[in-house]
Amino acid sequence: MDFKRDRIYNGWILFGVLLGLSFQIRMDGWQGLYHAAASVLLSFCLFYPVYKIGGLGAGDVKLFMMTGCFLSVNRLLYAAVISFVIGAVFSIVKMISEENYREQMQYLFSYLLDVLCTGQWKLYGENLKQDHSKYKSNKIHFALPICLSVLLGIGGLY
């Protein structure tokens, strides 16, 4: 869905949340619900600021929150770190294949320098939105790194 429509539908997120909460209640009773709520809250607190500066899409934040319904806080943190590592690898491969690595790194360092100099966060990639094709080609669909990270956790990596 993320690849085809560039969005993750709320209905699927809600279904996943309900499934995760049901699973937690079944496994650990109301204590499981408490742990799931802690993971969901942590997901929101960690990733909403990243969304606000344009580093993640709203669907990605909601997907992390849904994932928190299934994972403990520790496992969620591992999943988050691993998904960002996978996402970084995907981004590097994409930049190399599209031969715009240097341009992207210059933009990133310019953005970071601007934030450091002004002390204010701004929306990353805002000036690229005027050129829709350039903006679209500079992003990756983060649902796949999240999915792969969770699957690696299920497989025993963490």
Side-chain angles (χ1 to χ4, degrees):
M1 180 183 322
D2 192 20
F3 283 95
K4 187 173 183 180
R5 300 222 160 96
D6 202 28
R7 61 182 304 123
I8 301 169
Y9 291 119
N10 289 335
W12 286 109
I13 298 290
L14 181 60
F15 176 72
V17 166
L18 293 174
L19 191 64
L21 294 177
S22 299
F23 174 75
Q24 292 297 340
I25 291 171
R26 179 150 167 66
M27 296 303 288
D28 295 324
W30 294 107
Q31 188 73 11
L33 190 61
Y34 167 77
H35 291 297
S39 292
V40 169
L41 182 61
L42 176 66
S43 296
F44 180 78
C45 290
L46 286 176
F47 301 118
Y48 184 73
V50 180
Y51 159 74
K52 287 300 284 182
I53 63 168
L56 288 174
D60 301 323
V61 175
K62 292 182 279 187
L63 194 56
F64 271 119
M65 291 171 66
M66 182 197 71
T67 303
C69 291
F70 291 92
L71 302 177
S72 68
V73 168
N74 287 342
R75 289 180 62 108
L76 177 70
L77 290 173
Y78 280 117
V81 168
I82 292 168
S83 65
F84 277 96
V85 169
I86 293 169
V89 170
F90 284 3
S91 295
I92 290 168
V93 168
K94 184 174 182 171
M95 286 186 285
I96 290 171
S97 70
E98 294 182 359
E99 299 176 355
N100 65 355
Y101 183 81
R102 180 173 291 176
E103 176 186 339
Q104 291 300 317
M105 289 298 103
Q106 286 174 341
Y107 183 82
L108 172 65
F109 290 124
S110 170
Y111 171 83
L112 292 174
L113 185 62
D114 185 48
V115 168
L116 288 173
C117 290
T118 65
Q120 294 181 336
W121 290 97
K122 64 179 186 174
L123 190 60
Y124 186 81
E126 182 66 25
N127 59 345
L128 298 175
K129 286 188 176 181
Q130 288 88 20
D131 184 356
H132 186 68
S133 64
K134 192 173 206 178
Y135 174 73
K136 198 127 169 94
S137 74
N138 288 325
K139 65 184 269 189
I140 63 165
H141 296 277
F142 207 65
L144 182 59
I146 295 170
C147 178
L148 291 174
S149 173
V150 170
L151 289 174
L152 288 170
I154 291 169
L157 181 64
Y158 58 89

